[in-house]
C-alpha cells in the first residue's frame, strides 16, 4: 500500500508577541523583539495510505487545524516535510474563498480555480454544483445576500466537484441542515468508494469512527494516540472525562486485591470477536492477606462511546464470598449476549456490600469485541422464536 | 514559476474579481478609470500655462508619460495592500501568494490599456497621429515599465505584511518619485539646468538619470511626442541611445524581479500566521 500523504517529523513554531510589533518603529524601539516561541506541533509523523480515510482529533488547541494547514500548504512547517501524491483540495472553512460582491456563479469559478480547476472543467461540472447546492435561482445574485446556509451549501458543492485525489476537511460537516449534512456524508462515502484519500478534522467523534479507517489524536502538538479509530476515539473520550487520570488505572484500599482476570468463551481463552448470543465468561481471582468480611465482586461494560451498557455483581447474582482470606476465584457467566457489533470495555471491582469501602477497582482494563453476522445493523440482539398454527 | 503558470486561472479570476468589485455599485463604472488622466491633464495644462512651459502640445506630452506612471504608482500603492486585504484568502486557501500582487498589477494594466486606447483615439481624432520611425520604442518602454512595476510591487507587498509602515511610506515615496520623474516638466529642461551642477563630484543630471522611471517615461515620450520642439523637450539623446537606455533598464528590472520574487517567496511562507 503506497502512502498518499506522508507527514515526517513536522514541527511548527509560532512566535507569540505580547503585543505584536507590526511597525518598524516599534521593532526598533523595543530592540530585540519580545517574542515567545510556541510550538503548535512537535515532531508529528504519520502516513495516510492511498485511498484511506484518516480522522485527526484532539482537544481545542491540540494542533489539529495547524496540522491540516501545513498539509494543505497554507503554513510552512518549521521542521520536517510533508509529501503527497495527487492534487489536494482543502475545505478549511466553507466559503473561505468567496467574495461577497461577486455573484454565486462568479464565486464558483473563483473558488474552483483556487482548488486547481481550469475554466473548461468548471464549465463541465457547473450544473452539477448548482444542483447539489440547490441554488438554481440565486446563482446570479451577489453572495453577500446569501444566508449562511446557502454559503455553506455552495462551498461544499464546489469542493466536492473539483475532483481532488486528496480531500482535507476541517469541521465543515458540522454545518448546514440535517438533510444537507446527510448529502455531504453521502458524498464523502462516494469519495471513499472511488478510492480517494481523506483527512478529516472533527470534534464529532462518532463521525470519525464511522467514516475513517484510521485516526490520530493530537495533544499539545504531539501524537497522543494513533491507529484504529475506535481505540483512538475512546482514548480521546476518556481524556475528555478525566483529564488528569490514567486510562487504565487501579484504585482502592487493596485489602482485597484482583490478582488475575480471564475472559473466556466456554472453556477457551477469548481469541477473537464474540457473536451475538454467545456466553461470555469472566473469571476473577482475588487475594486477601488479612481476613475481609463479605466482599462483593462487580463488573460493568462500557461501549465505544463510554456509555455504561450493563453491570452486575455477586450480590444480585445471589452468591456470597463470606469471610475472605487467601485466594478465591469468582466466575460470571454473562449471556446469551444481547449485544451486536462493537467493542466493549470491562471494569471490575471488589467492594464492601454497602459500597462504603472500595477494595480494588480495575477501570476498563479488559476488552472484548462482538461482531454481528454480515448485513445486521441492529442496536440489540434478541433471540426470537416463531410459531405458526391454526387459529 | 511553474506553479504560477498552473495557477494562471486564479490570477485571471482575481483580476476580474478586483475589476468587478472596484466598479460594482458605481453608476459610471469604468468611466472613473478614465477620469483620473483627464482631470490631471486639465489641471496640469492650466499650471503649465501659468508657470510657462516650452512644450508646444502639452496634453500629448503629459499623457505620454502620465499613463505609464499611473500604471506604476497604482500598482505599487495597491500592491502594498494586496496581501493584507486578502487576509481571509491567505489564511484559508492554498495558492501561490504571488498571485495577489500580480492581480493588482493586472488590474492597473487593464486600466492602462483602457486609458491608452482612449489616448490613441484622442491622438487620431485631433490629427496628431504617430511617427513610425520612433514608435518602436513603445513596446520596449512598455516591457520595461511592466517588469519594473511587478518587481517593485512584489517587494512592497511582501514587506508590508510584517511592517505596516511600508504602506504609509509608499505614499510619500511615490509623491517624491513622481516629481523626480520628468512627467509634468520636460526632460530637456532638466538636462539644460542640471548638466553643469555637481554634488560631491557627481553630475546632478546623471543622478537624475539613475531613476529607471525617468528612462521609461523618456521612452514613452520619445515614442509618442513628435511635435516640432521634440528635440528640445526631450533630452538630447539619439534614438539608438534611448533604446539602449531602455534595454539597460529592462535588464536591471528583470534582475530586480528575480531578487524580489525570491524574497517574496521566502517571506510568503509566514504570511498566513503574520496576518
Amino acid at each position: 500500500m503506497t502512502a498518499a500523504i506522508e507527514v515526517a517529523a513536522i514541527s511548527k513554531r509560532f512566535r507569540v508577541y505580547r503585543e505584536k510589533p507590526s511597525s518598524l518603529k516599534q521593532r526598533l524601539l523595543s530592540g530585540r523583539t519580545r517574542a515567545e516561541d510556541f510550538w503548535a506541533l512537535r515532531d508529528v509523523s504519520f502516513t495516510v495510505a492511498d485511498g484511506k480515510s484518516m480522522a485527526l482529533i484532539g482537544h481545542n488547541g491540540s494542533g489539529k487545524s495547524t496540522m491540516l494547514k501545513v498539509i494543505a500548504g497554507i503554513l510552512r512547517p518549521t521542521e520536517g516535510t510533508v509529501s503527497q501524491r495527487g492534487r489536494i483540495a482543502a475545505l478549511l472553512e466553507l466559503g473561505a474563498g468567496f467574495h461577497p460582491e461577486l455573484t454565486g456563479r462568479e464565486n464558483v469559478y473563483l473558488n474552483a480555480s483556487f482548488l486547481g480547476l481550469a475554466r473548461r472543467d468548471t464549465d463541465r461540472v457547473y450544473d452539477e454544483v448548482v444542483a447539489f447546492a440547490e441554488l438554481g435561482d440565486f446563482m446570479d445574485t451577489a453572495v453577500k445576500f446569501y444566508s449562511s446556509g446557502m454559503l455553506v451549501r455552495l462551498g461544499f458543492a464546489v469542493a466536492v466537484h473539483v475532483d481532488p485525489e486528496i480531500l482535507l476537511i476541517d469541521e465543515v460537516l458540522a454545518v448546514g441542515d440535517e438533510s444537507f449534512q446527510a448529502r455531504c456524508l453521502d458524498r464523502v462515502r462516494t469519495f471513499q468508494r472511488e478510492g480517494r484519500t481523506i483527512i478529516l478534522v472533527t470534534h464529532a467523534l462518532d463521525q470519525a469512527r464511522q467514516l475513517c479507517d484510521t485516526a490520530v489524536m493530537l495533544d499539545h502538538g504531539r501524537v497522543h494516540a494513533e491507529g484504529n479509530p475506535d481505540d483512538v476515539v475512546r482514548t480521546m473520550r476518556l481524556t475528555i472525562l478525566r483529564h488528569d487520570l490514567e486510562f487504565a488505572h487501579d484504585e482502592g484500599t487493596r485489602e482485597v486485591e484482583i490478582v488475575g482476570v480471564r475472559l473466556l468463551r466456554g472453556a477457551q481463552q477469548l481469541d477473537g470477536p464474540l457473536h451475538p448470543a454467545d456466553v461470555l465468561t469472566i473469571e476473577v481471582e482475588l487475594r486477601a492477606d488479612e481476613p475481609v468480611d463479605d466482599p462483593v465482586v462487580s463488573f460493568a461494560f462500557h461501549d465505544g462511546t463510554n456509555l455504561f451498557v450493563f453491570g452486575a455483581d455477586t450480590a444480585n447474582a445471589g452468591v456470597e464470598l463470606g469471610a475472605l482470606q487467601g485466594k478465591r476465584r469468582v466466575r460470571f457467566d454473562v449471556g446469551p449476549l444481547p449485544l451486536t457489533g462493537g467493542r466493549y470495555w470491562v471494569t471490575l471491582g471488589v467492594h464492601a456490600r454497602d459500597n462504603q469501602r472500595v477494595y480494588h477497582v480495575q477501570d476498563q482494563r479488559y476488552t472484548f469485541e462482538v461482531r454481528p453476522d454480515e448485513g445486521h445493523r441492529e442496536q440489540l440482539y434478541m433471540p426470537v422464536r416463531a410459531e405458526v398454527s391454526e387459529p | 514559476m511553474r506553479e504560477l503558470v498552473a495557477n494562471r486561472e486564479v490570477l485571471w479570476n482575481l483580476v476580474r474579481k478586483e475589476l468587478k468589485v472596484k466598479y460594482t455599485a458605481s453608476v459610471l463604472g469604468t468611466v472613473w478609470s478614465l477620469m483620473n488622466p483627464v482631470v490631471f491633464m486639465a489641471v496640469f495644462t492650466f499650471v503649465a500655462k501659468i508657470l510657462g512651459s516650452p512644450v508646444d502640445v502639452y496634453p500629448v506630452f503629459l499623457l505620454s508619460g502620465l499613463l505609464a506612471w499611473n500604471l506604476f504608482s497604482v500598482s505599487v500603492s495597491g500592491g502594498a495592500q494586496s496581501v493584507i486585504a486578502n487576509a481571509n484568502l491567505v489564511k484559508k486557501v492554498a495558492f501561490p501568494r504571488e498571485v495577489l500582487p500580480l492581480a493588482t498589477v493586472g488590474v492597473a494594466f487593464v486600466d492602462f490599456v483602457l486609458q491608452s486606447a482612449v489616448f490613441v483615439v484622442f491622438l487620431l481624432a485631433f490629427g496628431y497621429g504617430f511617427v513610425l520611425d520612433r514608435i518602436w520604442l513603445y513596446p520596449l518602454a512598455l516591457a520595461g515599465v511592466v517588469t519594473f512595476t511587478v518587481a517593485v510591487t512584489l517587494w512592497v507587498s511582501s514587506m508590508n505584511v510584517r511592517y505596516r509602515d511600508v504602506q504609509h511610506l509608499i505614499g510619500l515615496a511615490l509623491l517624491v518619485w513622481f516629481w523626480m520623474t520628468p512627467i509634468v516638466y520636460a526632460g530637456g529642461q532638466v538636462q539644460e539646468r542640471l548638466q553643469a551642477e555637481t554634488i560631491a563630484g557627481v553630475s546632478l543630471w546623471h543622478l537624475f538619470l539613475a531613476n529607471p522611471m525617468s528612462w521609461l517615461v523618456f521612452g514613452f515620450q520619445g515614442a509618442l511626442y513628435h511635435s516640432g520642439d521634440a528635440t528640445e523637450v526631450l533630452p538630447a539623446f539619439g534614438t539608438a541611445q534611448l533604446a539602449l537606455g531602455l534595454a539597460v533598464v529592462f535588464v536591471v528590472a528583470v534582475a530586480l524581479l528575480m531578487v524580489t520574487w525570491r524574497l517574496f517567496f521566502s517571506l510568503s511562507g509566514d504570511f498566513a500566521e503574520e496576518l
Side-chain angles (χ1 to χ4, degrees):
Chain A
M1 188 73 72
T2 49
I5 295 176
E6 195 166 354
V7 172
I10 288 288
S11 296
K12 178 66 193 174
R13 181 185 58 209
F14 287 120
R15 292 198 174 277
V16 185
Y17 301 103
R18 238 171 260 148
E19 194 174 331
K20 200 179 165 203
S22 59
S23 84
L24 209 56
K25 184 183 138 212
Q26 284 171 3
R27 196 161 279 199
L28 289 175
L29 285 182
S30 61
R32 293 171 66 90
T33 49
R34 251 180 283 127
E36 284 161 38
D37 286 347
F38 167 71
W39 290 89
L41 294 171
R42 263 300 204 187
D43 199 25
V44 175
S45 300
F46 55 80
T47 55
V48 187
D50 210 3
K52 296 289 177 194
S53 301
M54 192 196 89
L56 199 53
I57 59 177
H59 304 284
N60 287 330
S62 61
K64 53 191 192 306
S65 290
T66 304
M67 189 67 243
L68 208 62
K69 284 184 178 178
V70 169
I71 297 173
I74 294 169
L75 291 176
R76 204 176 286 172
T78 313
E79 289 160 19
T81 54
V82 176
S83 37
Q84 88 243 11
R85 283 155 33 88
R87 183 165 65 183
I88 288 187
L91 260 173
L92 295 191
E93 194 173 282
L94 282 181
F98 285 166
H99 195 287
E101 295 285 351
L102 299 183
T103 65
R105 178 190 307 272
E106 288 162 334
N107 269 310
V108 167
Y109 279 91
L110 180 63
N111 227 324
S113 66
F114 280 132
L115 296 170
L117 207 62
R119 187 163 194 86
R120 265 197 328 280
D121 301 320
T122 314
D123 287 336
R124 214 161 27 75
V125 295
Y126 180 78
D127 290 336
E128 282 176 58
V129 170
V130 176
F132 191 88
E134 295 176 331
L135 286 171
D137 299 335
F138 300 97
M139 290 313 286
D140 292 313
T141 308
V143 302
K144 66 179 171 186
F145 298 117
Y146 280 25
S147 70
S148 58
M150 289 157 81
L151 272 178
V152 164
R153 297 210 300 271
L154 193 59
F156 191 82
V158 174
V160 295
H161 283 91
V162 299
D163 199 33
E165 278 106 3
I166 300 167
L167 188 65
L168 310 179
I169 308 174
D170 190 358
E171 278 303 332
V172 290
L173 296 180
V175 284
D177 60 29
E178 223 166 271
S179 87
F180 184 71
Q181 267 191 41
R183 275 190 302 142
C184 290
L185 285 179
D186 199 45
R187 189 73 197 191
V188 167
R189 292 213 171 86
T190 311
F191 261 58
Q192 291 175 322
R193 272 198 302 280
E194 290 167 354
R196 293 172 212 257
T197 310
I198 297 175
I199 296 184
L200 176 73
V201 166
T202 184
H203 284 291
L205 297 179
D206 290 317
Q207 203 173 62
R209 291 196 312 136
Q210 287 158 18
L211 285 175
C212 296
D213 305 303
T214 59
V216 167
M217 177 189 164
L218 293 180
D219 188 34
H220 295 97
R222 292 170 194 272
V223 175
H224 184 77
E226 69 176 306
N228 178 326
D230 282 344
D231 297 339
V232 177
V233 163
R234 187 176 170 71
T235 307
M236 173 84 187
R237 280 225 158 87
L238 288 166
T239 60
I240 289 171
L241 286 177
R242 307 165 226 143
H243 222 7
D244 45 354
L245 294 182
E246 276 291 290
F247 165 33
H249 68 285
D250 291 42
E251 53 186 351
T253 62
R254 301 295 177 103
E255 286 161 275
V256 184
E257 203 170 357
I258 298 171
V259 291
V261 174
R262 292 203 299 165
L263 301 187
L264 308 165
R265 171 168 40 195
Q268 294 289 313
Q269 185 88 25
L270 210 55
D271 56 355
L274 293 159
H275 294 277
D278 279 355
V279 174
L280 173 71
T281 299
I282 306 171
E283 270 188 11
V284 186
E285 257 187 54
L286 306 169
R287 192 185 67 208
D289 293 334
E290 304 292 325
V292 174
D293 192 38
D294 196 23
V296 171
V297 179
S298 63
F299 69 89
F301 297 158
H302 286 79
D303 72 3
T305 65
N306 208 33
L307 198 74
F308 174 52
V309 175
F310 179 73
D313 58 35
T314 46
N316 56 35
V319 289
E320 286 185 17
L321 279 79
L324 176 63
Q325 186 170 23
K327 286 197 168 188
R328 199 72 51 89
R329 177 177 291 166
V330 177
R331 177 189 161 106
F332 296 102
D333 287 324
V334 190
L337 292 174
L339 304 172
T340 59
R343 184 167 279 281
Y344 297 87
W345 279 261
V346 183
T347 298
L348 290 165
V350 199
H351 46 86
R353 187 173 286 270
D354 59 3
N355 267 326
Q356 289 301 306
R357 214 168 160 77
V358 176
Y359 302 127
H360 191 185
V361 172
Q362 289 187 334
D363 190 22
Q364 303 194 12
R365 177 177 289 188
Y366 310 96
T367 175
F368 66 91
E369 202 185 343
V370 181
R371 189 172 293 167
D373 300 328
E374 277 302 311
H376 286 249
R377 300 197 60 119
E378 302 94 332
Q379 295 289 313
L380 271 182
Y381 167 80
M382 295 180 212
V384 174
R385 207 166 55 80
E387 198 176 298
V388 181
S389 63
E390 295 292 332
Chain B
M1 189 69 203
R2 209 177 29 201
E3 214 185 331
L4 190 70
V5 173
N7 281 278
R8 61 188 184 282
E9 207 88 38
V10 175
L11 179 57
W12 177 230
N13 276 322
L14 277 179
V15 170
R16 282 157 40 102
K17 176 202 112 178
E18 293 292 338
L19 283 174
K20 167 108 198 258
V21 169
K22 198 165 147 194
Y23 297 120
T24 293
S26 70
V27 181
L28 293 179
T30 45
V31 172
W32 285 114
S33 82
L34 302 176
M35 288 295 263
N36 170 290
V38 169
V39 170
F40 254 68
M41 190 182 73
V43 169
F44 281 111
T45 307
F46 173 74
V47 170
K49 270 243 153 57
I50 301 297
L51 295 180
S53 166
V55 183
D56 280 345
V57 190
Y58 192 76
V60 174
F61 170 79
L62 177 74
L63 286 180
S64 309
L66 184 64
L67 298 190
W69 172 264
N70 279 353
L71 169 61
F72 174 74
S73 75
V74 169
S75 297
V76 171
S77 55
Q81 313 274 355
S82 62
V83 177
I84 298 169
N86 289 291
N88 196 31
L89 283 184
V90 173
K91 285 198 266 193
K92 302 287 179 191
V93 185
F95 63 97
R97 277 67 172 102
E98 293 89 319
V99 169
L100 295 172
L102 287 178
T104 313
V105 177
V107 171
F109 190 75
V110 170
D111 275 349
F112 172 78
V113 170
L114 274 174
Q115 294 167 353
S116 298
V118 173
F119 184 40
V120 166
V121 169
F122 170 86
L123 288 177
L124 294 173
F126 286 88
Y128 190 85
F130 298 97
V131 174
L132 288 180
D133 65 343
R134 301 265 276 185
I135 196 74
W136 58 272
L137 288 172
Y138 190 91
L140 206 53
L142 185 60
V145 81
V146 168
T147 314
F148 186 63
T149 299
V150 171
V152 175
T153 305
L154 279 176
W155 182 66
V156 164
S157 62
S158 57
M159 293 307 287
N160 197 38
V161 175
R162 192 167 296 174
Y163 306 107
R164 301 289 160 91
D165 311 64
V166 171
Q167 68 199 43
H168 306 294
L169 211 59
I170 229 50
L172 279 177
L174 284 173
L175 181 70
V176 174
W177 205 334
F178 175 72
W179 290 103
M180 289 296 119
T181 306
I183 299 164
V184 298
Y185 51 85
Q189 275 182 297
V190 181
Q191 185 175 22
E192 199 183 297
R193 306 223 170 127
L194 292 186
Q195 201 133 42
E197 308 269 340
T198 58
I199 183 163
V202 184
S203 157
L204 277 186
W205 171 240
H206 287 152
L207 272 183
F208 188 82
L209 290 181
N211 171 11
M213 283 310 287
S214 291
W215 283 96
L216 295 165
V217 164
F218 286 150
F220 283 102
Q221 291 166 346
L224 299 174
Y225 189 75
H226 55 78
S227 298
D229 63 342
T231 44
E232 291 110 69
V233 167
L234 296 174
F237 297 140
T239 310
Q241 202 185 346
L242 190 49
L244 181 67
L246 289 175
V248 170
V249 168
F250 179 69
V251 170
V252 168
V254 169
L256 186 66
L257 177 61
M258 293 195 320
V259 172
T260 58
W261 199 304
R262 198 154 294 180
L263 178 75
F264 186 97
F265 181 77
S266 71
L267 290 176
S268 68
D270 296 332
F271 283 174
E273 54 200 272
E274 298 236 7
L275 286 169

